[in-house]
Amino acid sequence: MPPEPPAPDPTVVAGPASRLVAIDALRLAAAVGVLVYHFTARRSSAWGQDQDALIAPAVAAWASYGSLGPELFFVISGFVILMTAWGRTTAAVVASRIGRLYPSYWVAVLLTGFLLLVVWPEGKEVTVGQVAVNLTMLQSLVGVEHVDGVYWTLWTELRFYLLVGVLVLVGVTRRRVLAVALVWPVLALLVERAGADDLAHLLVSDYAPLFAAGMALYVLRREGHAVLPWLVVAVNTALAVAIRVPPTVSGLERVTGVSPSHVGLGIALASCVVLVALAAFVPLPALDRPWVVAAAALTYPVYLVHQYWGLWVISLVVDHVPAAVAVLAAVAASFALAWCVHRAVEAPYAPALRRRTERALTRARDRLLDRVNAGPRVLDAAEATPPGPHPPVPAAGSRPGST
């Protein structure tokens, strides 16, 4: 008789990776926070000259915390990328990221470029060439400005994916993930302090602790509670607060006119890690609803298209409706446009692009390995050839069998 399966380890919180609706709901909440921040707290010409009068200072002060949406995204990304990468090939991981990021992004760049070039040029000055370069998602690499400022987070994500790709090449294990999550942020900070700006930028020194905290949380989710991974989470959370709070305060003072509390922002930033931990470990069956899943599916496209399309809507209606109604109209328009992008582009084309990219990368890998192995095969064949006389080589111009 076959042996009985081992009893489950009670210390393990969850088994194999599966999609967590709570994580998706958090991503949606982060996107909504960013929308509210952009439409209320951040200064924009869409409101005309009366933004301070139309938006109450208390509303702007609280909405400014929505600027931490990207920080929450980064913790989630650290968690989810390991869910995607663990036990998979490099080709599969790269293909999954390309399929996930590019189709909606291409459409969003074209939509926003059209808006700013044709419909609402006063929203922001852009050029056709700038739009074309932005389609690569590598505009920061060549010093071209983002068509939409929110694209900075994608460049940050791409650098993180590059580092994860190296880890996948080496092999993803618990020990290696925790070593990277503990050493990488500290090393990146030391490199930055040493003045090696290019290397620090490559190592994502300003946001590395947030990604690393998410990675350690996934190890806990997958492997169960242990002291070391929780220590990695705690160290990176403290490091993230120390690194990010001062520049976030000064940035908010510049773009919103609000002077946020250092303590309040520190608590909010640490809460980004706490919320992902709660989503990973605390059962939340109330979130497991079809409408939550459907709304969460719009998170990426709504993040890409909301800023200028929403502000344009505000500019159209601000003189005719109360400010709160203008903000709601901008949010509704952003989600409606995101739904169109999701249904027409993301849902049908992202999986197809992922499959084709994985096939292409796999073929390229196999060809490369075949060429690398060709040399050893030739040497093996030569060594296997028995010594002794070999058949004479026919003279030039002769035919086999001729006399």
Side-chain angles (χ1 to χ4, degrees):
M1 295 179 63
E4 294 184 359
D9 185 347
T11 64
V12 176
V13 177
S18 60
R19 192 155 194 91
L20 296 173
V21 177
I23 292 289
D24 287 336
L26 264 187
R27 204 189 329 244
L28 176 64
V32 171
V34 172
L35 264 66
V36 174
Y37 161 66
H38 281 153
F39 295 157
T40 59
R42 189 180 176 93
R43 296 189 180 278
S44 170
S45 60
W47 290 100
Q49 302 299 318
D50 301 325
Q51 183 169 351
D52 290 336
L54 293 170
I55 304 295
V59 172
W62 282 105
S64 65
Y65 286 94
S67 66
L68 295 178
E71 280 77 356
L72 179 53
F73 282 136
F74 295 153
V75 181
I76 294 171
S77 184
F79 184 97
V80 171
I81 191 63
L82 279 187
M83 185 184 297
T84 303
W86 206 298
R88 301 179 70 188
T89 65
T90 305
V93 174
V94 172
S96 72
R97 294 301 88 194
I98 290 175
R100 167 66 174 158
L101 293 181
Y102 272 98
S104 294
Y105 175 75
W106 285 329
V107 174
V109 171
L110 294 175
L111 286 172
T112 302
F114 172 77
L115 174 71
L116 298 176
L117 287 170
V118 179
V119 179
W120 192 41
E122 57 269 30
K124 181 181 180 180
E125 183 178 350
V126 299
T127 66
V128 174
Q130 183 182 348
V131 172
V133 174
N134 270 244
L135 289 171
T136 66
M137 207 183 288
L138 303 176
Q139 57 270 17
S140 294
L141 195 61
V142 294
V144 175
E145 185 182 355
H146 300 295
V147 169
D148 189 324
V150 302
Y151 299 163
W152 73 267
T153 60
L154 302 179
W155 175 238
T156 304
E157 293 272 359
L158 285 177
R159 285 177 283 149
F160 170 58
Y161 294 158
L162 177 62
L163 295 173
V164 171
V166 174
L167 177 60
V168 173
L169 281 174
V170 175
V172 179
T173 65
R174 179 183 185 276
R175 179 177 296 181
R176 288 170 182 167
V177 170
L178 292 178
V180 168
L182 186 60
V183 174
W184 161 44
V186 176
L187 176 62
L189 181 60
L190 292 176
V191 168
E192 180 184 352
R193 295 292 189 267
D197 294 339
D198 290 341
L199 181 57
H201 184 71
L202 178 64
L203 293 174
V204 205
S205 60
D206 42 358
Y207 295 102
L210 296 168
F211 289 114
M215 294 168 70
L217 286 173
Y218 181 69
V219 170
L220 285 160
R221 165 80 185 181
R222 178 185 175 89
E223 305 291 334
H225 294 297
V227 173
L228 180 58
W230 277 118
L231 179 62
V232 173
V233 172
V235 168
N236 279 293
T237 302
L239 193 58
V241 170
I243 291 174
R244 292 308 311 159
V245 167
T248 301
V249 169
S250 60
L252 286 174
E253 288 175 343
R254 184 178 68 255
V255 302
T256 68
V258 174
S259 297
S261 162
H262 283 70
V263 174
L265 272 178
I267 293 172
L269 192 55
S271 298
C272 293
V273 179
V274 173
L275 287 171
V276 176
L278 291 174
F281 302 120
V282 178
L284 297 170
L287 292 177
D288 195 5
R289 298 289 184 271
W291 71 267
V292 174
V293 176
L298 304 181
T299 298
Y300 182 51
V302 82
Y303 180 77
L304 292 176
V305 303
H306 78 273
Q307 182 163 220
Y308 286 104
W309 283 94
L311 291 174
W312 175 61
V313 170
I314 289 175
S315 72
L316 294 178
V317 304
V318 65
D319 294 331
H320 310 289
V321 298
V325 176
V327 172
L328 289 175
V331 171
S334 299
F335 271 94
L337 185 57
W339 182 85
C340 293
V341 173
H342 173 70
R343 295 286 296 186
V345 178
E346 190 174 46
Y349 294 110
L353 178 60
R354 176 187 58 76
R355 290 191 296 269
R356 291 182 180 181
T357 303
E358 184 172 357
R359 285 198 296 267
L361 291 174
T362 302
R363 285 196 298 268
R365 179 200 64 195
D366 292 343
R367 285 197 296 268
L368 177 62
L369 290 176
D370 188 63
R371 291 195 175 191
V372 169
N373 292 327
R377 285 201 301 268
V378 170
L379 291 176
D380 291 342
E383 292 176 357
T385 303
H390 297 282
V393 178
S398 64
R399 297 190 304 274
S402 63
T403 56

